[in-house]
Amino acid sequence: MLRVARALLAMRDPLDAELALSRMLGAWWGRSMPGMSGEDVERHLGEGLIARAAASQSPAGLVLLSGIAALGPTEHRRELARQGALALAEQGMALPAWVRELGAARPVAAYRSGDRFGDVDELVCTFRRADGGEAPEDGAPGAPAEEPDEAEATHALIAVVDHNAGGVLRDAWVTSKVGRLLEHARAAAGSDPMAVFARIAPGRARTLLEAAMRRTDRVVAGGGTRPARLTAARRDDLLGGSLSSVHALLRSRMRALPREGRPTQEPVWRRDDRAVLAARFLASETAAELSDSYAASRCVDHIIAYGCDVDGGRPLRVSPRKVEAFLLTWLPRRVVLLREEREAMPHVLGAWIRWAGPRWGLPEPAVGASLDALWEAIEPFTETYRDPAEALGLGRSEVRRLLPDGDLEALPRRMFAFPLLAGDLLDDADGAFDPSTPEGRRALLKLDHFGEIDDPAGRPRGRHSVDGGRAGTRRRSSCGDGPAPDPTGSARSGTRRAEPSRSADREADRAVGEAELAAHERLAERLWDGDPPELWAAAQRLLDRGVSRPEVLRALMGALEGADRSTAPDALVTRLNEL
């Protein structure tokens, strides 16, 4: 990095230098290593680079520190770089004049470009160099005039937000040809009735960029707190494009934008709101042609859920690309469909397009284009969608127990948490052993631990061991309490004489088992919700190494217990990444 930084000394334009520095800092953005999260890698490498540059005692090191002080991803690292740069500057090193202008930009105007389909928003933010070469404070550069002089802008930042991929930043770049860019966008909007180009407040642009960056960071980190937002966005796609090279400069320019006074939040669709929208559609003349009302109701629920959870609270939005993303990406990975629902889905989606498209404001040709995309996607959808019950050897009832929310992505981790979901013992008590409820989880895990049916409904079930009695036998034998009882129940010699001692041992074993059960119950609840995502990732790493399921469970429960004893805010994630 220091050798590369020497080339910066010959540059003349501060924007060129910022782009070069941004590429350097983006070299490890989102990268992870065994036992370390991407955030940890970025922190260790970033702070290590700062220390190395400060110790270099060279102009290249000073340039590098000045660049990190302006473009660093966190305030802590920017402050470390500032301190190092000040220490080197006191030695009288000569630097290019543009070093004082790094990160010093003021917003001129912001624009939103796209089309009426709404698949992609191109956020265009124009900037000029700050007077005096001083970087403005975060979010407080002074609002630009209502009619900004576009001629003042020296460069523009363009960020592409892909709504079909869950609202992530798909791409970003910088140009110094601001006038030509704006002229082309206005000409396209004037000649194409589907094109959209409008000025927005710089504060609004910052709100939109920050929201898109948060979603992007969740994809790059490999997890998220909103599992419903499963999209076509792939971590490697985001890291492999131009986004990583301009990532640091993008964050710097975002900080230069003013904060929005009252940010408009993404619409939140509650369950009753979604039900009302579905009822309006099903009662319309467009839906009257659908023969299977039950399948139609289930299908439209999924269509609305996709629009609310993935498409930024816009269930009425219709486009050819959205149709393809829904049918070929979201449904096959997220939702378990019954056979009649799979057959009905294309017809229900076609009716939805004809009903919702005009309400979204699309002209008839645009609605027709969306319908064309639907018919072209039917055959790939039939080939892509596979019934998980058949592929995994599960019955339909077991899949319904594990996926009451239709979250197909959660199936592997929930199967790991609750392996006992089928059998004659559970068939007549299906509702009592519901893993989505605390009572059902405890009953299933008690069967897994002790081989006992503990029916939450209160019906006497007695004792039945799922492994022929060997689970309890192994537990007692491992404690060194003498010969294990016969699994068939027959008496062994000496059993009567040792009965009081064995009774006490059984009580002690039972207490230990109850503690293990409580820990397993807590772990199973977290695995069910996928919280945090690193929990299932750690389990998969251990399973891939050939570690048995009981050992993996013990390792995960140990990480949870250790995190409880720690005061560090990220103790659990740190322990899981170390497994």
Side-chain angles (χ1 to χ4, degrees):
M1 287 289 186
L2 286 171
R3 286 195 296 269
V4 175
R6 292 172 189 164
L8 298 175
L9 296 171
M11 290 186 174
R12 296 177 178 273
D13 185 74
L15 182 59
D16 290 339
E18 285 178 320
L19 289 170
L21 286 163
S22 184
R23 283 194 295 272
M24 293 170 64
L25 296 178
W28 55 75
W29 174 61
R31 308 296 175 182
S32 59
M33 298 172 60
M36 294 179 65
S37 65
E39 184 179 350
D40 290 335
V41 170
E42 189 171 357
R43 182 179 66 254
H44 284 291
L45 292 180
E47 295 182 4
L49 179 61
I50 292 172
R52 184 64 182 272
S56 69
Q57 303 287 313
S58 66
L62 179 53
V63 167
L64 193 54
L65 289 172
S66 301
I68 298 175
L71 308 180
T74 67
E75 177 58 35
H76 175 66
R77 259 164 271 169
R78 292 196 295 271
E79 182 58 32
L80 285 178
R82 276 193 288 268
Q83 293 175 2
L86 288 174
L88 291 184
E90 290 177 355
Q91 300 179 17
M93 294 182 184
L95 288 175
W98 52 258
V99 169
R100 294 190 301 273
E101 300 184 39
L102 290 176
R106 291 188 179 276
V108 176
Y111 308 86
R112 195 175 195 168
S113 180
D115 59 36
R116 292 171 65 179
F117 281 127
D119 293 309
V120 168
D121 279 332
E122 292 186 0
L123 299 175
V124 181
C125 301
T126 61
F127 298 88
R128 62 178 175 84
R129 286 294 161 188
D131 297 333
E134 295 182 0
E137 296 181 4
D138 183 10
E146 293 195 7
E147 294 295 333
D149 184 1
E150 294 176 352
E152 292 183 0
T154 58
H155 61 281
L157 172 72
I158 302 95
V160 181
V161 181
D162 189 346
H163 295 292
N164 290 319
V168 300
L169 284 171
R170 177 64 69 181
D171 199 1
W173 67 94
V174 175
T175 180
S176 58
K177 300 177 180 179
V178 181
R180 184 180 300 179
L181 172 69
L182 298 179
E183 181 182 354
H184 174 77
R186 290 193 176 100
S191 60
D192 184 354
M194 289 293 292
V196 175
F197 182 74
R199 185 153 53 210
I200 61 175
R204 182 60 186 159
R206 174 168 179 157
T207 299
L208 296 173
L209 285 171
E210 287 180 337
M213 183 61 75
R214 285 193 297 269
R215 300 184 194 112
T216 306
D217 288 340
R218 283 199 294 265
V219 174
V220 169
T225 56
R226 293 189 63 184
R229 189 159 268 185
L230 178 75
T231 69
R234 286 289 178 269
R235 180 175 180 273
D236 292 341
D237 294 339
L238 298 180
L239 294 178
S242 62
L243 187 59
S244 59
S245 64
V246 77
H247 176 262
L249 181 59
L250 172 60
R251 288 188 180 273
S252 173
R253 293 299 185 265
M254 282 169 50
R255 292 192 296 271
L257 293 169
R259 294 189 181 277
E260 193 174 13
R262 293 185 177 180
T264 303
Q265 300 298 326
E266 184 178 293
V268 177
W269 285 76
R270 300 187 303 271
R271 183 176 301 178
D272 54 344
D273 297 327
R274 303 183 188 202
V276 169
L277 183 60
R280 287 174 53 198
F281 164 72
L282 294 171
S284 67
E285 294 183 3
T286 310
E289 63 188 43
L290 302 173
S291 56
D292 189 338
S293 59
Y294 175 77
S297 176
R298 294 276 296 172
C299 290
V300 77
D301 286 344
H302 297 314
I303 295 171
I304 293 173
Y306 178 77
C308 294
D309 296 331
V310 177
D311 194 22
R314 302 185 297 177
L316 292 176
R317 189 178 76 84
V318 168
S319 80
R321 282 189 58 199
K322 183 176 179 180
V323 168
E324 293 175 358
F326 172 72
L327 273 183
L328 304 182
T329 300
W330 193 77
L331 273 180
R333 299 177 188 169
R334 173 62 66 183
V335 178
V336 178
L337 296 174
L338 300 176
R339 180 180 57 81
E340 55 270 24
E341 294 169 0
R342 293 200 302 273
E343 295 173 353
M345 179 58 77
H347 304 286
V348 177
L349 183 54
W352 177 266
I353 291 171
R354 292 192 297 272
W355 182 79
R359 287 166 173 76
W360 181 251
L362 292 183
E364 185 175 347
V367 174
S370 300
L371 289 172
D372 290 342
L374 168 63
W375 307 134
E376 292 175 2
I378 289 178
E379 184 176 352
F381 168 68
T382 304
E383 296 174 354
T384 301
Y385 192 90
R386 292 290 182 268
D387 188 345
E390 296 176 2
L392 298 171
L394 296 174
R396 178 59 58 179
S397 61
E398 286 78 50
V399 173
R400 279 199 297 266
R401 285 179 186 173
L402 286 169
L403 304 178
D405 51 1
D407 185 1
L408 187 56
E409 188 187 34
L411 184 59
R413 69 172 187 267
R414 292 178 181 176
M415 287 180 63
F416 173 79
F418 300 100
L420 299 175
L421 285 168
D424 296 337
L425 294 170
L426 306 180
D427 287 346
D428 61 344
D430 184 54
F433 293 93
D434 181 0
S436 65
T437 66
E439 297 80 8
R441 278 195 295 269
R442 184 169 184 82
L444 282 169
L445 295 177
K446 194 167 186 178
L447 177 61
D448 190 15
H449 270 260
F450 302 121
E452 292 182 356
I453 291 289
D454 185 13
D455 193 339
R459 291 168 289 186
R461 303 290 293 174
R463 177 175 179 80
H464 180 90
S465 177
V466 295
D467 58 359
R470 292 187 295 276
T473 301
R474 283 195 301 269
R475 185 175 286 112
R476 288 187 290 274
S477 298
S478 65
C479 295
D481 58 354
D486 191 334
T488 64
S490 60
R492 291 178 179 268
S493 60
T495 300
R496 249 177 233 287
R497 289 192 301 272
E499 189 63 32
S501 174
R502 295 207 173 176
S503 177
D505 289 340
R506 280 196 297 271
E507 290 299 323
D509 291 344
R510 189 71 175 192
V512 172
E514 289 289 348
E516 293 176 355
L517 176 60
H520 190 176
E521 188 176 358
R522 180 185 173 208
L523 172 62
E525 182 178 2
R526 281 181 171 268
L527 284 170
W528 180 274
D529 296 330
D531 179 30
E534 290 82 3
L535 190 64
W536 177 233
Q540 289 176 289
R541 287 196 305 273
L542 295 174
L543 291 170
D544 289 343
R545 296 179 195 148
V547 181
S548 66
R549 177 177 176 271
E551 292 173 333
V552 174
L553 289 173
R554 283 194 290 271
L556 297 180
M557 288 187 286
L560 289 174
E561 183 180 355
D564 288 342
R565 295 194 299 266
S566 174
T567 58
D570 299 325
L572 177 57
V573 172
T574 301
R575 288 176 178 272
L576 291 172
N577 287 332
E578 292 172 352
L579 292 178

